[in-house]
Amino acid sequence: MLTRRGVLMGLFATALAPKAALARPKRKIFVLDPEYRPQYVFFDSSYRPGTVVIDPRGRFLYLIEDEFTARRYGIGVGRAGRAFHGVARVGRKEKWPRWMPTKNMIRRQPEKYARYAGGVAGGRNNPLGARALYLYRNGRDTYYRIHGTTEPWTIGRAVSNGCIRMVNEHVMDLYARVPVGARVVVI
């Protein structure tokens, strides 16, 4: 049987409970596999320092430091990323870039992408993430991008759309290290 004192004690305990205990449960925190975190690795190559080498099958991007060392980043690779090969240059870079689905994306999945046909302003909910490096060949945009993502769990995987995805913090690091005009090789 509840007494007045018992009810008051219960109310008092609830009032003193930490706010976190009263809040809705949060989503599970994503933890990136350490293999896909930026790290310096041995990379025996003939590429010049500053070259970006992308290995879509291996799901890694390398920024060449010297003839034996590269800074390696984990990537997620979209359909466009699996189809693009060869050499390009970073033609421009954008902080918090605007995103617009391609006509093919809208045609394939109109229920998902048609509402964004006018584009999405840059920001935390933008699919291109925090930074984008736009790749050009012969002075023309290839529509191939190295960009951040709002879906970090896609790193290390083949993903449905997009080009080369990186964790936002990682693409921000790469963005600071790679100048416009840098050579990019997709193997």
Side-chain angles (χ1 to χ4, degrees), residues 2 14 16 41-42 66 88-89 111 122 143 159-160 182 184:
L2 286 175
T14 301
L16 293 178
V41 296
F42 176 77
D66 59 41
R89 298 260 177 206
E111 68 287 351
Y143 297 99
V159 291
S160 62
V184 178

mmCIF file of all heavy atoms in Angstrom, residues 2 14 16 41-42 66 88-89 111 122 143 159-160 182 184:
data_model
loop_
_atom_site.group_PDB
_atom_site.id
_atom_site.type_symbol
_atom_site.label_atom_id
_atom_site.label_comp_id
_atom_site.label_asym_id
_atom_site.label_seq_id
_atom_site.Cartn_x
_atom_site.Cartn_y
_atom_site.Cartn_z
ATOM 1 N N LEU A 2 0.592 2.171 -0.906
ATOM 2 C CA LEU A 2 1.390 3.383 -0.975
ATOM 3 C C LEU A 2 0.939 4.375 0.081
ATOM 4 O O LEU A 2 -0.249 4.635 0.267
ATOM 5 C CB LEU A 2 1.248 4.040 -2.339
ATOM 6 C CG LEU A 2 1.972 3.377 -3.491
ATOM 7 C CD1 LEU A 2 1.630 4.089 -4.781
ATOM 8 C CD2 LEU A 2 3.453 3.383 -3.271
ATOM 9 N N THR A 14 12.292 11.140 -8.639
ATOM 10 C CA THR A 14 12.140 11.416 -10.071
ATOM 11 C C THR A 14 12.648 12.808 -10.403
ATOM 12 O O THR A 14 13.312 13.017 -11.409
ATOM 13 C CB THR A 14 10.658 11.275 -10.486
ATOM 14 O OG1 THR A 14 10.232 9.952 -10.183
ATOM 15 C CG2 THR A 14 10.480 11.558 -11.962
ATOM 16 N N LEU A 16 14.970 14.399 -8.967
ATOM 17 C CA LEU A 16 16.428 14.454 -8.871
ATOM 18 C C LEU A 16 17.122 13.556 -9.897
ATOM 19 O O LEU A 16 18.332 13.589 -10.015
ATOM 20 C CB LEU A 16 16.882 14.040 -7.458
ATOM 21 C CG LEU A 16 16.473 15.005 -6.344
ATOM 22 C CD1 LEU A 16 16.937 14.451 -5.003
ATOM 23 C CD2 LEU A 16 17.059 16.374 -6.573
ATOM 24 N N VAL A 41 50.746 5.172 -44.471
ATOM 25 C CA VAL A 41 51.056 3.794 -44.835
ATOM 26 C C VAL A 41 52.215 3.771 -45.830
ATOM 27 O O VAL A 41 52.482 4.756 -46.519
ATOM 28 C CB VAL A 41 49.831 3.070 -45.446
ATOM 29 C CG1 VAL A 41 48.699 2.948 -44.430
ATOM 30 C CG2 VAL A 41 49.344 3.767 -46.714
ATOM 31 N N PHE A 42 52.859 2.623 -45.918
ATOM 32 C CA PHE A 42 53.884 2.410 -46.928
ATOM 33 C C PHE A 42 53.183 2.339 -48.274
ATOM 34 O O PHE A 42 52.185 1.641 -48.437
ATOM 35 C CB PHE A 42 54.645 1.109 -46.648
ATOM 36 C CG PHE A 42 55.656 0.782 -47.710
ATOM 37 C CD1 PHE A 42 56.865 1.453 -47.756
ATOM 38 C CD2 PHE A 42 55.388 -0.176 -48.664
ATOM 39 C CE1 PHE A 42 57.794 1.170 -48.741
ATOM 40 C CE2 PHE A 42 56.309 -0.475 -49.660
ATOM 41 C CZ PHE A 42 57.522 0.206 -49.696
ATOM 42 N N ASP A 66 55.492 11.001 -50.312
ATOM 43 C CA ASP A 66 56.817 10.873 -50.912
ATOM 44 C C ASP A 66 56.856 9.528 -51.642
ATOM 45 O O ASP A 66 55.822 8.875 -51.782
ATOM 46 C CB ASP A 66 57.942 11.000 -49.861
ATOM 47 C CG ASP A 66 57.857 9.967 -48.748
ATOM 48 O OD1 ASP A 66 57.561 8.778 -49.023
ATOM 49 O OD2 ASP A 66 58.101 10.334 -47.584
ATOM 50 N N ALA A 88 42.554 12.739 -63.706
ATOM 51 C CA ALA A 88 41.790 13.992 -63.693
ATOM 52 C C ALA A 88 42.561 14.984 -62.831
ATOM 53 O O ALA A 88 43.634 14.671 -62.299
ATOM 54 C CB ALA A 88 40.389 13.751 -63.136
ATOM 55 N N ARG A 89 42.017 16.167 -62.702
ATOM 56 C CA ARG A 89 42.579 17.208 -61.832
ATOM 57 C C ARG A 89 41.467 17.739 -60.944
ATOM 58 O O ARG A 89 40.298 17.739 -61.331
ATOM 59 C CB ARG A 89 43.130 18.372 -62.660
ATOM 60 C CG ARG A 89 44.267 17.993 -63.573
ATOM 61 C CD ARG A 89 45.564 18.380 -62.982
ATOM 62 N NE ARG A 89 46.660 17.934 -63.842
ATOM 63 C CZ ARG A 89 47.863 17.679 -63.399
ATOM 64 N NH1 ARG A 89 48.135 17.832 -62.128
ATOM 65 N NH2 ARG A 89 48.803 17.283 -64.205
ATOM 66 N N GLU A 111 10.471 8.547 -56.448
ATOM 67 C CA GLU A 111 9.856 8.700 -55.127
ATOM 68 C C GLU A 111 10.848 9.207 -54.083
ATOM 69 O O GLU A 111 10.480 9.860 -53.116
ATOM 70 C CB GLU A 111 9.226 7.375 -54.656
ATOM 71 C CG GLU A 111 10.202 6.254 -54.346
ATOM 72 C CD GLU A 111 10.879 5.575 -55.545
ATOM 73 O OE1 GLU A 111 10.498 5.836 -56.704
ATOM 74 O OE2 GLU A 111 11.810 4.778 -55.306
ATOM 75 N N GLY A 122 23.851 23.682 -49.065
ATOM 76 C CA GLY A 122 24.887 23.088 -48.233
ATOM 77 C C GLY A 122 24.507 23.136 -46.766
ATOM 78 O O GLY A 122 23.774 24.017 -46.338
ATOM 79 N N TYR A 143 31.842 15.392 -63.510
ATOM 80 C CA TYR A 143 30.726 15.075 -62.607
ATOM 81 C C TYR A 143 31.104 13.969 -61.630
ATOM 82 O O TYR A 143 30.256 13.318 -61.033
ATOM 83 C CB TYR A 143 29.440 14.728 -63.377
ATOM 84 C CG TYR A 143 28.964 15.907 -64.172
ATOM 85 C CD1 TYR A 143 29.243 16.003 -65.527
ATOM 86 C CD2 TYR A 143 28.291 16.952 -63.550
ATOM 87 C CE1 TYR A 143 28.847 17.114 -66.256
ATOM 88 C CE2 TYR A 143 27.894 18.066 -64.275
ATOM 89 C CZ TYR A 143 28.173 18.134 -65.629
ATOM 90 O OH TYR A 143 27.783 19.235 -66.329
ATOM 91 N N VAL A 159 28.244 1.646 -52.499
ATOM 92 C CA VAL A 159 26.977 2.281 -52.154
ATOM 93 C C VAL A 159 26.195 2.610 -53.417
ATOM 94 O O VAL A 159 26.759 2.647 -54.504
ATOM 95 C CB VAL A 159 27.204 3.539 -51.287
ATOM 96 C CG1 VAL A 159 27.707 3.150 -49.917
ATOM 97 C CG2 VAL A 159 28.183 4.493 -51.933
ATOM 98 N N SER A 160 24.917 2.884 -53.270
ATOM 99 C CA SER A 160 24.038 2.987 -54.430
ATOM 100 C C SER A 160 24.305 4.186 -55.332
ATOM 101 O O SER A 160 24.263 4.068 -56.534
ATOM 102 C CB SER A 160 22.584 2.991 -53.975
ATOM 103 O OG SER A 160 22.343 4.111 -53.169
ATOM 104 N N ALA A 182 45.492 19.752 -58.309
ATOM 105 C CA ALA A 182 46.156 18.500 -57.938
ATOM 106 C C ALA A 182 45.731 17.373 -58.884
ATOM 107 O O ALA A 182 44.589 17.293 -59.327
ATOM 108 C CB ALA A 182 45.815 18.119 -56.500
ATOM 109 N N VAL A 184 44.716 13.650 -59.883
ATOM 110 C CA VAL A 184 43.973 12.556 -59.270
ATOM 111 C C VAL A 184 44.012 11.379 -60.240
ATOM 112 O O VAL A 184 43.704 11.514 -61.421
ATOM 113 C CB VAL A 184 42.506 12.947 -58.997
ATOM 114 C CG1 VAL A 184 41.728 11.788 -58.395
ATOM 115 C CG2 VAL A 184 42.450 14.174 -58.078
#
